[in-house]
């Protein structure tokens, strides 16, 4: 179990992109193994479980960042990530401003201008 978690950590550290395929298999395997220890309330196993959840969260954030880059471009993604400390309404406005449906609803479509 400890070896599998270490392999998961290494898979998530690969750059430029983590090994998502290998990491997904390791997440599944470690979660199955950790489920066996839930009933026993073993402190070291709980710590390992938290570590797996943290690594899984990092992998998820990497996937979401990849989709943001594809959808918004690298520079806008960096701006959105830098603005995480700002309030959520600014981010929602920035995201909604790029949606075609919001541009049409705001009257900025090319058909309405012509």
């Amino acid at each position: 179990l400890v070896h599998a978690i270490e392999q998961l950590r290494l898979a998530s550290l690969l750059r430029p992109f983590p090994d998502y395929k290998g990491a997904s298999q390791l997440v599944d395997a470690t979660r199955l193994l950790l489920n066996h220890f839930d009933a026993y309330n073993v402190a070291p196993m709980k710590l390992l479980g938290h570590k797996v959840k943290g690594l899984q969260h990092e992998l998820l954030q990497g996937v979401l960042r990849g989709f943001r880059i594809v959808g918004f471009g690298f520079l806008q993604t960096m701006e959105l990530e830098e603005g995480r400390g700002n309030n959520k309404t600014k981010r929602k406005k920035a995201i909604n401003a790029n949606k075609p449906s919001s541009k049409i609803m705001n009257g900025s479509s090319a058909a309405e201008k012509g």
Side-chain angles (χ1 to χ4, degrees):
L1 177 62
V2 174
H3 180 71
I5 293 172
E6 181 61 22
Q7 291 301 312
L8 173 60
R9 188 184 72 78
L10 293 174
S12 65
L13 290 176
L14 289 177
R15 296 291 177 237
F17 303 106
D19 177 16
Y20 289 112
K21 182 179 179 181
S24 68
Q25 294 170 351
L26 288 166
V27 166
D28 287 340
T30 54
R31 288 176 71 197
L32 285 172
L33 288 170
L34 286 168
N35 283 339
H36 292 292
F37 293 98
D38 282 345
Y40 300 110
N41 197 17
V42 179
M45 294 301 153
K46 287 188 178 217
L47 290 174
L48 290 174
H50 289 300
K51 188 173 185 178
V52 169
K53 286 179 183 178
L55 292 169
Q56 187 176 8
H57 180 73
E58 287 179 27
L59 290 166
L60 175 64
Q61 292 305 313
V63 170
L64 293 175
R65 184 173 197 232
F67 278 107
R68 282 188 207 110
I69 290 171
V70 169
F72 299 120
F74 181 75
L75 293 177
Q76 190 170 2
T77 299
M78 296 306 291
E79 290 173 3
L80 289 171
E81 288 178 356
E82 288 174 3
R84 281 188 178 174
N86 298 339
N87 63 28
K88 290 182 180 181
T89 55
K90 287 183 181 178
R91 284 186 283 160
K92 286 181 181 179
K93 286 180 182 178
I95 291 171
N96 288 334
N98 290 314
K99 289 183 181 177
S101 61
S102 66
K103 290 180 182 178
I104 292 171
M105 295 178 102
N106 291 333
S108 63
S109 68
E112 291 178 359
K113 289 181 181 179

